[in-house]
Amino acid sequence: MSRTSPALGISVMAVAFAALSSTAHAQAQAPQAAQADTQREYEAIIVTAQKRAANINDVPMSITAASGDQLTKLGVTDASQLTKVVPGFTYNETAYGTPVFTIRGVGFQETSLGASPAVSSYIDEVPVPFSAETVGLGLDLERLEVLKGPQGTLFGSNSTGGALNYIAGKPTDHLTGGFDASYGSFNTVDLQGHIAAPITETLGVRVAGRYTRGDGFQRSMTRPGDRLGAKDFLQGRVLLVWEPTSNWKTTLNFTALRDRSESLSSQFTQFVALNDGPLIPEGFRSFPRAPEDNRVTDWDPGVDFHRNNRFTFGSLRNELDLGDAAHITSLTSLQRFRRFQPVEGDGTPFNDYRAESFGKINTFYQELRLDGKIGNASYIIGANYEYDFVNDNTIQYYTQSSSASVFGIPLGPTRPNTQQRLRTYGVFGNLDYELSDKVTAHGGIRFTQANRELLYGCGQDIDGSWGLVSQAIQGYIHFLRGEPITSTPIPIGGCGTINLENVQPEGAHAKLNQNNVSWRVGLDYKPTRDVLLYVNVSRGYKAGSFPTLAAATTRQFDPVVQETVLAFEGGAKVTAANGRIQANGAVFYYDYKNKQILGRIPDIAFGPLPSLVNVPKSRIWGAELDVTLNPIDGLRIRPAITYINSKLGDGFVNFDSFGQQLDFSGEPFPYTPKWQANVDAEYSFPINDGLDAFVGGNMLYYGHTNGAFGQYPVLAINAYTTFDARLGVASHDDKWRLQLWARNLTDKYYWTAAYRVNDSVNRYPGSPRTFGATLSFRY
């Protein structure tokens, strides 16, 4: 697809508007009674973006919301596919398999298990604080709300880009249930279902589960018949709601999952030696570039790439309703995540880089808040506390790489390890005041104290070789300083990372305690029931962070300080033509300070090595428009388009992915395309009194961007366009539905990430073309 592809989305919108105008004109000439028969109100979507229920068209901020059934119909089973439905949202995985969410260019490209995201995820307003834990949050949803822009006042730190709020399905006052059963390419079976029922007059239960399995779809370039990427995913949820009195409700949510799928391999693009050396095999130096095929790559033979990731989530929500003036909510949560995740780093059968990431996260969260309405004022006041413990480990294997020999000493596997403890305290308040029946003022503020402690940070020895290399580096440092050449022996399993102050091998220990005040002020004007105009100014913060790295010196563990985004947004939400048009648009400008990135710092033995750094100044501006059109009965068209212009400020100098020190002033952000567009359309029509047929499709356009600073062509992520299609039949009341579908219908070759690791440049390919069928049933 050419770089001008956004025009396709605009053209679709223009054609749809023209068709709608023609329809509206014809209706104006028809009798009033006939016109009434064709009127359709835009379906009301209730969201809790402001921590209380409201119609989405009355909430003065940019929100995308979709029901669980809508997501199922579109094949959106996890956050990686949200680009189909959420304008301005991007998803990619780092070289270590860590997912990264970005909204309007605000994200955090970090690899560590304990890296706090810039776009946070929530289940029923309870935070799931780290991105690695978010796989599987889409189980049995009532809806998903994607909030854009800083959400610091009500949702707290680490939501400078926005927030994903997953609303779980709830028990019902009568027996209900349903299932979705899919079978598709590569023998993929996806079964999910739920059942809800009252147990007593005051107690209800909802049980949901999902199981996914499938064969590997990636093919080896060098070993015919070898496959990778098998799926084996299981999760379940039990949700209880107890209402002992008319004003007291308790909700208990217990969710668990385990993921034993195989990690996917990246595609090898180019050989670029980190330091070069005799241990690099000639076969790796001359290994061919992966073909332009989403399925073809390579990986180390004889290695088991099955994950063993487990997540348990428990939350208790208590609500006490004291009338319109006071409603008390308490949220309590315990969460436990365990990870074992192999990573193929170079996409070849050679061991230039392979890793096994393992670790754990324990989280406790408590929030207490009071909200209500007094006269013209709606208020929220509250406080919360979060405790996180993160133990992050990665065993790195690189026996056939330039890193396998340092000062002539063979280097075996190493184990970067960090242990971190995080304590976060927050107090917040929000006030919405109706100045008149058409104008409402909004204000919010939050104070946050974020205390992060690096209990231990080290590159640990495994077989004795890293200990010998560390001793050699110690001696070299003393030599450069003109000091007697000495070194401290390191036992097997000991810490080889060197403290430059005393030139001793020892783990890093540090504290980063920071506080901030997030705030938001805004004004909205509702001249009619169908029009909302708003302006907002908000400031949000993302907490500082320590990395997990293969650190030669403790300097690499230096943290980045908190970043801040000052955001200006103006927007409109318009319902027109008796509900046949819903148009939402916004323009925005972000003043970004201390943006956190994974950059590089010089190392005495290895050259520039990864480290977290702050970008002093940068900015983003852009606009977005999404529209829902019903030009005729049965036809729904949803076009959306986003433009984002990102730019680093002057004076930011760092190292690129190839070790060159450059001035990156004026460059756009990585993983931030200027243009994104999607169009979803569906036409349904009756076959007989009880049966409907439907046909639909989805187009996604993702613009050109880059995987790193420096704008190197080899790290480019080219623009691409994908198409999905669906057709099927359904009962008139939508109790059951049979759908045939195709995703990436044209089998477009594309990639979602590009990076340099060790001696290679690699890409993560997109999903290949798949076909399948889904049977859905509700009762």
Side-chain angles (χ1 to χ4, degrees):
M1 192 75 181
S2 70
R3 294 284 298 275
T4 59
S5 293
L8 177 58
I10 297 173
S11 297
V12 171
M13 294 165 63
V15 170
F17 272 120
L20 184 60
S21 299
S22 176
T23 302
H25 178 73
Q27 288 178 337
Q29 306 304 314
Q32 186 67 32
Q35 184 183 32
D37 289 339
T38 61
Q39 289 179 349
R40 175 177 298 178
E41 292 292 333
Y42 180 73
E43 61 186 69
I45 301 175
I46 304 302
V47 297
T48 53
Q50 295 177 306
K51 296 205 172 180
R52 56 172 170 262
N55 189 309
I56 190 171
N57 291 332
D58 294 331
V59 179
M61 68 172 68
S62 187
I63 306 171
T64 298
S67 70
D69 283 345
Q70 288 173 331
L71 296 174
T72 298
K73 182 180 285 189
L74 294 174
V76 178
T77 57
D78 58 54
S80 67
Q81 298 150 340
L82 284 178
T83 50
K84 296 180 183 181
V85 294
V86 182
F89 178 88
T90 65
Y91 172 95
N92 69 277
E93 291 188 8
T94 69
Y96 296 84
T98 305
V100 177
F101 309 146
T102 302
I103 294 180
R104 293 177 173 174
V106 181
F108 187 34
Q109 297 292 330
E110 225 279 71
T111 61
S112 303
L113 179 62
S116 298
V119 176
S120 294
S121 300
Y122 300 80
I123 300 179
D124 290 335
E125 302 174 7
V126 175
V128 178
F130 302 99
S131 297
E133 302 172 298
T134 60
V135 177
L137 295 189
L139 172 67
D140 186 31
L141 293 183
E142 179 181 312
R143 68 183 179 278
L144 168 64
E145 303 170 6
V146 182
L147 319 179
K148 302 174 185 179
Q151 303 296 321
T153 54
L154 290 178
F155 286 88
S157 299
N158 309 326
S159 57
T160 45
L164 308 180
N165 192 18
Y166 295 84
I167 310 300
K170 302 299 188 296
T172 51
D173 59 5
H174 60 283
L175 179 64
T176 62
F179 69 82
D180 301 286
S182 298
Y183 179 79
S185 302
F186 314 112
N187 293 316
T188 301
V189 176
D190 190 347
L191 304 174
Q192 55 182 320
H194 72 273
I195 186 168
I199 299 176
T200 68
E201 290 186 354
T202 60
L203 180 64
V205 64
R206 187 175 182 117
V207 179
R210 182 183 180 197
Y211 174 65
T212 306
R213 58 94 40 218
D215 298 337
F217 69 88
Q218 289 193 319
R219 301 195 303 255
S220 168
M221 295 172 60
T222 59
R223 301 180 302 281
D226 272 15
R227 298 290 184 268
L228 189 66
K231 295 179 180 179
D232 184 358
F233 185 85
L234 178 66
Q235 65 182 136
R237 175 188 293 142
V238 178
L239 198 148
L240 294 165
V241 175
W242 182 44
E243 299 185 68
T245 67
S246 60
N247 64 344
W248 177 15
K249 181 165 72 173
T250 296
T251 303
L252 176 65
N253 180 342
F254 178 76
T255 302
L257 70 84
R258 63 110 175 118
D259 181 8
R260 294 178 182 166
S261 306
E262 288 182 318
S263 298
L264 297 176
S265 175
S266 60
Q267 290 183 320
F268 176 80
T269 302
Q270 182 176 317
F271 169 75
V272 183
L274 182 67
N275 295 304
D276 215 337
L279 297 181
I280 301 176
E282 187 57 38
F284 180 68
R285 294 175 184 272
S286 58
F287 195 76
R289 179 175 181 153
E292 294 188 356
D293 186 325
N294 292 323
R295 295 188 58 190
V296 179
T297 180
D298 223 322
W299 55 92
D300 292 5
V303 175
D304 186 354
F305 284 95
H306 281 93
R307 307 168 185 163
N308 187 11
N309 296 341
R310 292 159 290 151
F311 181 49
T312 54
F313 171 95
S315 69
L316 181 67
R317 182 187 183 107
N318 282 291
E319 298 175 78
L320 182 61
D321 190 352
L322 303 177
D324 290 343
H327 181 267
I328 301 173
T329 302
S330 171
L331 300 173
T332 307
S333 179
L334 289 172
Q335 302 170 40
R336 182 176 184 269
F337 180 71
R338 298 294 182 268
R339 176 170 79 168
F340 176 82
Q341 185 161 314
V343 175
E344 167 58 50
D346 56 75
T348 76
F350 300 94
N351 180 219
D352 187 77
Y353 185 83
R354 179 170 56 84
E356 294 171 353
S357 296
F358 60 98
K360 66 180 181 179
I361 302 173
N362 295 329
T363 295
F364 169 76
Y365 179 79
Q366 176 64 52
E367 178 175 312
L368 183 65
R369 69 175 187 258
L370 175 69
D371 68 271
K373 184 171 183 179
I374 301 174
N376 291 343
S378 299
Y379 72 92
I380 300 175
I381 56 173
N384 54 30
Y385 168 75
E386 182 178 322
Y387 172 87
D388 303 291
F389 175 80
V390 183
N391 187 349
D392 188 9
N393 299 262
T394 301
I395 296 180
Q396 300 177 317
Y397 303 91
Y398 31 66
T399 56
Q400 295 177 300
S401 76
S402 62
S403 299
S405 176
V406 182
F407 298 137
I409 303 171
L411 178 60
T414 55
R415 179 184 169 185
N417 170 229
T418 60
Q419 296 174 23
Q420 299 184 53
R421 182 166 55 211
L422 295 73
R423 294 187 176 94
T424 307
Y425 311 81
V427 292
F428 58 91
N430 192 82
L431 182 67
D432 303 320
Y433 189 83
E434 297 174 2
L435 300 174
S436 70
D437 59 349
K438 296 182 178 181
V439 180
T440 303
H442 309 274
I445 192 167
R446 173 187 288 263
F447 173 80
T448 301
Q449 177 69 46
N451 297 338
R452 185 181 288 251
E453 184 176 3
L454 180 63
L455 302 173
Y456 181 71
C458 182
Q460 290 181 274
D461 176 87
I462 292 180
D463 61 359
S465 61
W466 171 231
L468 294 176
V469 171
S470 177
Q471 285 187 253
I473 295 174
Q474 294 172 48
Y476 184 54
I477 293 172
H478 284 302
F479 169 76
L480 292 178
R481 294 180 177 181
E483 300 168 351
I485 299 177
T486 61
S487 63
T488 300
I490 298 164
I492 292 178
C495 178
T497 300
I498 301 166
N499 185 334
L500 290 177
E501 292 185 3
N502 56 17
V503 198
Q504 289 295 308
E506 58 185 40
H509 307 275
K511 292 183 179 180
L512 180 66
N513 298 336
Q514 294 188 291
N515 57 62
N516 60 70
V517 176
S518 299
W519 52 265
R520 180 179 76 97
V521 294
L523 196 68
D524 70 64
Y525 173 55
K526 201 171 178 66
T528 70
R529 184 187 64 151
D530 296 328
V531 177
L532 176 71
L533 308 175
Y534 66 89
V535 291
N536 289 320
V537 182
S538 58
R539 183 186 294 274
Y541 288 83
K542 180 187 177 305
S545 184
F546 292 97
T548 301
L549 299 165
T553 68
T554 55
R555 182 188 170 199
Q556 283 180 259
F557 288 112
D558 287 350
V560 284
V561 299
Q562 62 188 0
E563 68 178 27
T564 177
V565 173
L566 177 62
F568 302 84
E569 180 176 329
K573 300 182 178 184
V574 179
T575 307
N578 296 317
R580 291 187 180 273
I581 299 179
Q582 176 62 41
N584 304 319
V587 295
F588 50 88
Y589 178 86
Y590 293 172
D591 182 12
Y592 215 154
K593 287 185 171 58
N594 285 325
K595 175 178 172 61
Q596 301 170 0
I597 67 166
L598 184 60
R600 292 173 182 263
I601 61 174
D603 179 77
I604 196 167
F606 296 94
L609 288 181
S611 182
L612 291 177
V613 297
N614 289 105
V615 180
K617 293 183 179 181
S618 51
R619 60 98 178 124
I620 301 169
W621 65 267
E624 63 187 24
L625 175 67
D626 68 89
V627 182
T628 299
L629 307 170
N630 295 111
I632 59 174
D633 288 346
L635 176 62
R636 173 163 292 188
I637 307 171
R638 293 190 176 103
I641 191 165
T642 302
Y643 175 80
I644 299 172
N645 188 301
S646 62
K647 183 178 179 180
L648 294 179
D650 294 337
F652 176 62
V653 176
N654 199 249
F655 294 89
D656 65 17
S657 299
F658 304 98
Q660 301 298 311
Q661 190 171 30
L662 297 173
D663 186 340
F664 298 116
S665 302
E667 283 200 10
F669 296 176
Y671 297 100
T672 307
K674 281 191 174 183
W675 290 101
Q676 287 176 263
N678 59 69
V679 181
D680 188 79
E682 182 173 298
Y683 179 61
S684 61
F685 53 93
I687 297 176
N688 56 41
D689 288 344
L691 192 64
D692 295 337
F694 62 88
V695 59
N698 182 280
M699 182 210 80
L700 167 66
Y701 172 80
Y702 186 91
H704 176 87
T705 184
N706 204 279
F709 293 118
Q711 300 300 296
Y712 289 101
V714 72
L715 294 173
I717 300 171
N718 289 349
Y720 62 86
T721 302
T722 59
F723 297 91
D724 295 352
R726 60 185 183 270
L727 60 87
V729 293
S731 64
H732 192 65
D733 58 5
D734 211 28
K735 292 289 186 180
W736 66 268
R737 180 174 65 244
L738 176 62
Q739 176 174 296
L740 305 179
W741 46 261
R743 290 161 192 157
N744 192 5
L745 181 63
T746 62
D747 204 19
K748 173 69 176 179
Y749 172 66
Y750 66 99
W751 58 97
T752 59
Y755 58 87
R756 187 266 182 92
V757 61
N758 230 22
D759 302 310
S760 67
V761 176
N762 293 77
R763 298 171 175 169
Y764 268 122
S767 298
R769 176 172 52 208
T770 55
F771 299 99
T774 300
L775 176 64
S776 300
F777 180 72
R778 302 288 184 268
Y779 66 91

